[in-house]
């Protein structure tokens, strides 16, 4: 905009009534007006602060009425040079004398150039060398007269205010006062914040690539689009869409293995830990947390505890996708592409520059979802990347037993574990689930019907809340967000009647997804195929067990079709309805259990359902020996935990005997411990187990505990933890054994 006082200059509008310009254009008591293109004429202003033109050549003006409306304007961003390399593609805007026309009429100029951070450093100035031929000299001053006070931009960042035409450069350069230097002036900072309390924080410009700054808003928009929506189990009955993540997001509790204090909210713990390995059970909310961090980081809306992450550039690395695509050691240039965001290709080298500047937030999700043999390679990749870019913040999520303690300790990682939902969190999550369900009622065209459904959901919410308050067994089933959502969905679908065990819960959830879901929606033979619950389960079991046997979390369409071809040999009724390709399309479209998140990459909506179905297939096909053969492998252990619920009496005895024998033969404590823990889980959940075998399992577990060193901590299965009281042990005594010299967390 033009600034009109004793001399004509330029300025930049910070807010509808706040203008930043140069101090040397006028004195404090001068009458000053401003005029903006597309504005409503000249607007009188008051000078609320003016610096010394020799040291801080800036002034703040407050207009007596709004100069322009900011209703649809993007937020102004401020930057400062953090490097010394020349920065091309910068520009200064204003109304210089050389641009005037038709009798001294003002016209705006846009002067592109290269910023030279070192050229004016001794005088506290930035110097912009113009890209075009310098303007012709004038007899009585500078052709750039009138440009003073104009904004200097590096990409979208305002970094300075034009202040002069340095001598000796034949008008080819423009000097400016850095904004960062002005903020060091107490008077300027006080005046600015009194009129603009939420002035933006400074962003560092540390490279010669301002095009990075132009690209980053597009990347941020794509991250928000990809990760601010969430599929909530049980709510797709109402809609095929997804839900705003914050609608059902629950702040989870976590604990450090070295903490002497009690559990804390995950946001409180992550803020002080630049690098974290976060362990959590299946369905504990690890991926939801990663998505929440990514979407809020780019939007600068994180809570105060995580404010240091606001504005960082998140790179989400879903390890299951890497495994499916055969990528073992992604380079920085591959990081923005792994998640397949809906955004154009970034400028060459952009991701590396982000990491080099310490602006990257690496979110590595599901380290357990790659084969165990590849995890050491993944650790070396991550360690090498972080040594190359030591200022990068990083969060790695993994299931509790997938990697050993101290797996990334040498790289400065600290361990945290997500804890099971507490009683109050279970009820809070259930309220959020029902609130999200009621939101869908707003879309119903029949308001009378919508109101009836809202009232029904209110009643169900109240009934379930009362049931959670009465039943400890139900609360114990709902200790993860996934299972809590399953309970909410089944409670709604069954009008208040709920399963009593975890296996009944999964079985009912499968029934809900495979049969009653379409019946209640009055959908008959979609795609010309109709499956019974058992037929759908048999087909999904073949896919699930293939994934487990191959150490995979995703498979291609071709691989899925081959598994269905094999399953259809024994399902003549289904085979008569369509090809394996048509059956796969039906399962993807109708089951709600399979999804294709990216082209040719099929996966279960949650790995817990994959493991449950694989366990059922192995039990039905008399492959318990195969399970026991892989008992020491972490990726099979969750399948074993679920298999015990499918077993008959003789199978339970056989499974427990095999696990005990494997633990007895283990070469070291590191191998023995997860086997003992696994055997204890199976013993707790076995429906029929004689006392002799039950005691044998627990004696083996207790025999390990006294040998645990002070620096070692052990992760316990939730069911095993719950049973420790009966064995005369304290859960805290086993869950964490902090070293004596470690200070309190």
């Amino acid at each position: 905009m033009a600034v009109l006082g004793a001399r004509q200059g330029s300025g930049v509008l910070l807010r509808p009534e706040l203008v930043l310009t140069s101090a040397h254009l006028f004195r404090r008591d001068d009458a000053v007006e401003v005029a903006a293109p597309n504005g409503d004429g000249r607007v009188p202003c008051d000078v609320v602060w003016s610096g010394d033109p020799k040291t801080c050549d800036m002034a703040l003006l407050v207009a007596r009425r709004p100069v322009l409306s900011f209703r649809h304007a993007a937020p102004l961003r401020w930057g400062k040079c953090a490097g010394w390399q020349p920065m091309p593609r910068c520009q200064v805007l204003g109304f210089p004398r050389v641009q005037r026309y038709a009798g001294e009429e003002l016209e705006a100029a846009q002067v592109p150039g290269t910023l030279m951070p070192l050229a004016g450093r001794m005088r506290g100035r930035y110097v912009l060398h113009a890209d075009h031929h310098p303007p012709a000299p004038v007899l009585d001053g500078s052709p750039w007269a009138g440009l003073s006070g104009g904004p200097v931009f590096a990409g979208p960042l305002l970094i300075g205010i034009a202040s002069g035409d340095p001598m000796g450069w034949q008008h080819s350069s423009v000097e400016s006062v850095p904004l960062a230097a002005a903020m060091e002036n107490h008077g300027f900072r006080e005046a600015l914040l009194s009129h603009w309390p939420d002035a933006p924080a400074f962003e560092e410009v540390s490279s010669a690539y301002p095009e990075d700054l132009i690209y980053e808003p597009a990347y941020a928009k794509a991250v928000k689009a990809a990760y601010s929506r969430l599929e909530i189990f049980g709510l797709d009955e109402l809609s095929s869409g997804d839900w705003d993540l914050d609608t059902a997001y629950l702040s989870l509790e976590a604990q450090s293995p070295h903490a002497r204090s009690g559990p804390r909210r995950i946001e409180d713990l992550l803020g002080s830990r630049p690098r974290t390995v976060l362990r959590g059970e299946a369905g504990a909310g690890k991926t939801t947390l990663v998505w929440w961090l990514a979407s809020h980081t780019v939007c600068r809306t994180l809570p105060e505890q995580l404010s240091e992450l606001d504005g960082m550039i998140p790179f989400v690395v879903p390890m299951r996708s890497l495994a499916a695509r055969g990528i073992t050691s992604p380079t920085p240039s591959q990081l923005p592409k792994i998640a397949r965001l809906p955004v154009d290709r970034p400028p060459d080298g952009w991701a590396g520059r982000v990491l080099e500047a310490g602006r990257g937030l690496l979110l590595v999700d599901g380290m357990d979802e790659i084969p165990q043999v590849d995890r050491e390679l993944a650790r070396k990749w991550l360690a090498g990347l972080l040594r190359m870019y030591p200022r990068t913040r990083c969060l790695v999520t993994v299931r509790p037993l997938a990697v050993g303690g101290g797996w990334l300790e040498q790289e400065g990682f600290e361990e945290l574990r997500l804890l099971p939902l507490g009683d109050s969190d279970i009820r809070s999550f259930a309220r959020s689930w029902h609130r999200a369900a009621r939101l869908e009622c707003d879309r119903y065209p029949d308001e009378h019907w919508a109101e009836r459904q809202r009232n029904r959901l209110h009643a169900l919410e109240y009934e379930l809340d009362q049931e959670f308050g009465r039943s400890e067994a139900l609360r114990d089933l709902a200790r993860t967000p996934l299972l809590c959502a399953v309970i909410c969905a089944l409670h709604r679908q069954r009008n208040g009647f709920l399963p009593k065990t975890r296996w009944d819960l999964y079985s009912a959830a499968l029934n809900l997804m495979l049969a009653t879901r379409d019946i209640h929606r009055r959908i008959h033979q979609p795609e010309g195929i109709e499956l019974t619950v058992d037929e759908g389960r048999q087909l999904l079991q073949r896919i699930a067990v293939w994934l487990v046997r191959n150490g995979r979390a995703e498979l291609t369409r071709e691989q899925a079709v081959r598994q269905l071809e094999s399953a259809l040999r024994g399902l003549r009724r289904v085979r008569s309805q369509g090809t394996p390709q048509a059956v796969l399309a039906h399962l993807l479209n109708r089951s709600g259990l399979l999804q294709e998140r990216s082209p040719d990459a099929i996966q279960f909506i949650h790995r817990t359902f994959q493991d449950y179905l694989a366990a059922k297939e192995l039990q039905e096909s008399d492959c318990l020996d195969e399970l026991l053969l892989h008992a020491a492998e972490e990726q099979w252990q969750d399948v074993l935990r679920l298999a015990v619920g499918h077993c008959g009496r003789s199978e339970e005895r056989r499974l427990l005997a095999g696990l005990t024998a494997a633990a007895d033969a283990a070469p070291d404590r590191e191998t023995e411990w997860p086997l003992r823990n696994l055997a204890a889980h199976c013993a707790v959940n076995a429906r029929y187990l004689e006392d002799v075998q039950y005691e044998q399992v627990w004696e083996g577990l207790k025999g390990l505990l006294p040998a645990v060193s002070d620096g070692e901590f052990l992760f316990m299965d939730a069911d095993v933890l719950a049973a420790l009281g009966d064995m005369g042990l304290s859960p805290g005594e086993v869950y964490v054994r902090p070293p004596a010299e470690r200070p309190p967390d």
Side-chain angles (χ1 to χ4, degrees):
M1 67 172 55
V3 176
L4 308 168
R7 285 185 282 179
Q8 178 260 313
S10 304
V12 58
L13 198 61
L14 304 179
R15 301 187 71 192
E17 298 169 357
L18 187 63
V19 178
L20 182 62
T21 186
S22 288
H24 73 258
L25 296 175
F26 42 78
R27 296 180 299 274
R28 181 181 288 271
D29 55 351
D30 282 348
V32 183
E33 296 178 318
V34 297
N38 301 321
D40 188 18
R42 296 187 176 194
V43 181
C45 297
D46 298 311
V47 181
V48 295
W49 185 86
S50 183
D52 183 345
K54 294 181 180 179
T55 58
C56 189
D57 189 13
M58 285 194 187
L60 279 172
L61 314 178
V62 174
R64 296 177 186 174
R65 60 179 172 83
V67 180
L68 287 173
S69 169
F70 270 36
R71 183 180 305 171
H72 302 296
L76 187 64
R77 297 165 61 190
W78 286 17
K80 62 179 178 180
C81 292
W84 56 268
Q85 293 182 338
M87 295 196 302
R89 302 176 190 80
C90 295
Q91 59 180 321
V92 58
L93 310 177
F95 297 85
R97 178 177 180 179
V98 69
Q99 189 75 348
R100 293 176 187 170
Y101 70 97
E104 296 296 297
E105 294 291 332
L106 297 182
E107 177 58 277
Q110 185 173 9
V111 185
T114 299
L115 194 76
M116 315 299 288
L118 292 182
R121 190 166 188 172
M122 304 302 292
R123 292 174 292 110
R125 296 289 190 269
Y126 290 152
V127 176
L128 182 84
H129 287 329
D131 289 345
H132 56 65
H133 192 276
V138 294
L139 296 176
D140 55 348
S142 168
W144 293 126
L147 192 61
S148 292
V152 179
F153 286 97
L157 301 185
L158 177 65
I159 62 171
I161 294 296
S163 62
D165 180 357
M167 295 180 60
W169 288 93
Q170 297 180 334
H171 313 303
S172 64
S173 300
V174 176
E175 281 188 350
S176 60
V177 179
L179 278 176
M183 284 297 286
E184 295 175 3
N185 183 293
H186 175 74
F188 174 80
R189 185 170 62 254
E190 189 175 65
L192 177 75
L193 295 178
S194 67
H195 292 88
W196 195 10
D198 55 348
F202 281 97
E203 301 176 43
E204 290 188 351
V205 186
S206 57
S207 73
Y209 301 90
E211 64 267 29
D212 292 359
L213 300 172
I214 298 172
Y215 174 77
E216 285 171 13
Y219 181 81
K221 186 177 180 181
V223 168
K224 178 175 173 57
Y227 298 117
S228 64
R229 307 289 294 177
L230 182 71
E231 294 175 350
I232 303 174
F233 183 89
L235 293 186
D236 60 343
E237 286 184 86
L238 300 171
S239 170
S240 59
D242 47 22
W243 302 80
D244 183 89
L245 187 148
D246 288 334
T247 300
Y249 176 74
L250 180 70
S251 175
L252 302 168
E253 284 190 326
Q255 189 169 25
S256 164
H258 305 298
R260 299 190 180 188
S261 58
R264 296 168 61 188
R265 293 295 169 185
I266 187 65
E267 296 86 355
D268 297 328
L269 294 168
L270 286 180
S272 59
R273 290 168 170 79
R275 295 181 180 177
T276 305
V277 172
L278 181 67
R279 299 180 188 258
E281 302 285 354
K286 302 183 294 294
T287 296
T288 299
L289 175 64
V290 165
W291 286 28
W292 181 83
L293 282 171
S295 62
H296 280 275
T297 296
V298 296
C299 295
R300 299 174 176 270
T301 51
L302 287 167
E304 184 178 352
Q305 309 96 300
L306 296 172
S307 58
E308 289 186 15
L309 304 182
D310 269 338
M312 297 190 79
I313 304 297
F315 298 112
V316 178
V317 183
M319 295 304 290
R320 68 166 64 183
S321 296
L322 289 189
R325 294 159 64 185
I327 302 173
T328 55
S329 303
T331 63
S333 65
Q334 290 176 302
L335 292 178
K337 307 170 188 174
I338 290 170
R340 295 175 173 171
L341 299 174
V343 65
D344 290 337
R345 192 178 73 176
D348 289 343
W350 169 69
R353 293 189 288 273
V354 167
L355 298 175
E356 182 68 37
R359 299 172 55 231
L361 174 61
L362 196 58
L363 300 169
V364 182
D365 187 32
M367 191 61 78
D368 54 283
E369 295 189 347
I370 58 174
Q372 198 167 31
V373 294
D374 293 336
R375 290 176 197 167
E376 180 58 21
L377 184 61
R379 188 196 67 79
K380 290 180 179 179
W381 157 72
L382 186 57
L385 185 72
L386 295 176
R387 288 171 192 164
M388 182 74 177
Y389 303 105
R391 292 196 289 164
T392 300
R393 296 190 67 131
C394 184
L395 172 69
V396 177
T397 72
V398 67
R399 291 197 185 185
L401 300 174
V403 295
W407 188 62
L408 283 166
E409 191 173 10
Q410 287 187 337
E411 308 311 319
F413 279 79
E414 296 184 59
E415 295 261 357
L416 292 176
R417 172 154 181 180
L418 286 177
L419 300 180
L421 294 181
D423 292 353
S424 61
D425 284 343
I426 289 171
R427 297 167 86 167
S428 295
F429 182 91
R431 286 193 291 271
S432 296
W433 189 96
H434 287 86
R435 183 168 59 249
R438 285 192 294 273
L439 287 176
E440 185 63 23
C441 297
D442 296 340
R443 304 182 192 178
Y444 294 162
D446 185 339
E447 180 54 36
H448 178 68
W449 172 254
E451 189 60 27
R452 284 182 60 189
Q453 293 305 306
R454 290 189 198 99
N455 292 337
R456 177 172 178 261
L457 286 163
H458 275 297
L460 287 169
E461 178 184 343
Y462 175 79
E463 291 172 11
L464 184 58
D465 187 72
Q466 295 298 303
E467 190 65 28
F468 277 134
R470 286 190 297 266
S471 173
E472 182 179 355
L474 183 62
R475 293 196 302 273
D476 288 343
L477 281 177
R479 294 300 180 191
T480 67
L482 173 67
L483 289 180
C484 196
V486 170
I487 288 171
C488 292
L490 290 172
H491 183 263
R492 175 176 178 269
Q493 192 264 339
R494 292 181 165 202
N495 288 315
F497 294 96
L498 287 168
K500 301 301 182 185
T501 71
R502 183 173 304 173
W503 286 266
D504 290 341
L505 189 66
Y506 288 133
S507 178
L510 289 171
N511 288 343
L512 171 68
M513 304 301 283
L514 292 174
T516 57
R517 181 170 173 264
D518 275 349
I519 292 172
H520 280 274
R521 298 163 91 184
R522 291 175 170 80
I523 298 174
H524 181 66
Q525 285 192 327
E527 294 95 24
I529 291 175
E530 184 179 38
L531 302 179
T532 65
V533 172
D534 189 63
E535 288 167 342
R537 181 174 55 80
Q538 290 286 340
L539 293 166
L540 291 169
Q541 283 177 198
R542 296 299 184 94
I543 293 174
V545 80
W546 184 91
L547 289 168
V548 169
R549 282 172 169 158
N550 288 276
R552 301 278 292 275
E554 293 182 349
L555 75 170
T556 66
R557 278 181 170 268
E558 181 182 353
Q559 290 164 337
V561 165
R562 283 203 296 267
Q563 298 313 305
L564 294 179
E565 284 176 344
S566 175
L568 288 173
R569 292 170 191 161
L571 295 170
R572 287 181 293 277
R573 195 186 78 86
V574 181
R575 194 171 64 219
S576 67
Q577 296 181 57
T579 64
Q581 291 83 355
V583 172
L584 176 60
H586 173 86
L587 291 172
L588 284 167
N589 292 335
R590 310 308 319 162
S591 74
L593 290 161
L594 284 183
Q595 60 185 353
E596 194 170 23
R597 291 198 65 88
S598 57
D600 209 27
I602 295 169
Q603 63 189 37
F604 282 87
I605 60 165
H606 199 280
R607 191 170 137 190
T608 299
F609 290 110
Q610 171 188 311
D611 292 343
Y612 174 87
L613 289 163
K616 182 66 174 170
E617 174 65 21
L618 290 163
Q619 181 265 333
E620 286 184 349
S621 55
D622 194 22
C623 291
L624 294 185
D625 288 341
E626 181 182 359
L627 269 174
L628 291 169
L629 186 65
H630 294 281
E633 299 175 30
E634 182 275 335
Q635 199 153 6
W636 284 75
Q637 287 169 358
D638 285 315
V639 182
L640 265 159
R641 286 184 179 87
L642 290 165
V644 71
H646 298 305
C647 289
R649 284 186 299 176
S650 62
E651 291 171 324
E652 286 176 344
R653 291 195 297 269
R654 180 174 152 203
L655 199 64
L656 266 296
L659 287 173
T660 302
D664 291 342
D668 50 49
R669 279 188 305 139
E670 185 178 354
T671 306
E672 183 181 358
W673 172 254
L675 292 170
R676 298 288 185 199
N677 184 30
L678 184 59
H681 168 95
C682 292
V684 169
N685 289 285
R687 285 172 291 188
Y688 182 90
L689 192 65
E690 293 181 355
D691 290 343
V692 172
Q693 194 171 22
Y694 187 83
E695 292 296 333
Q696 182 184 16
V697 169
W698 282 99
E699 287 303 318
L701 181 69
K702 288 191 291 184
L704 268 185
L705 297 180
V708 175
S709 66
D710 280 343
E712 186 177 359
F713 61 93
L714 302 173
F715 291 116
M716 300 290 293
D717 183 282
D719 291 332
V720 178
L721 274 173
L724 283 176
D726 297 334
M727 311 310 298
L729 294 169
S730 163
E733 181 182 359
V734 180
Y735 175 64
V736 175
R737 185 74 64 88
E741 71 276 7
R742 178 73 66 140
D745 187 43

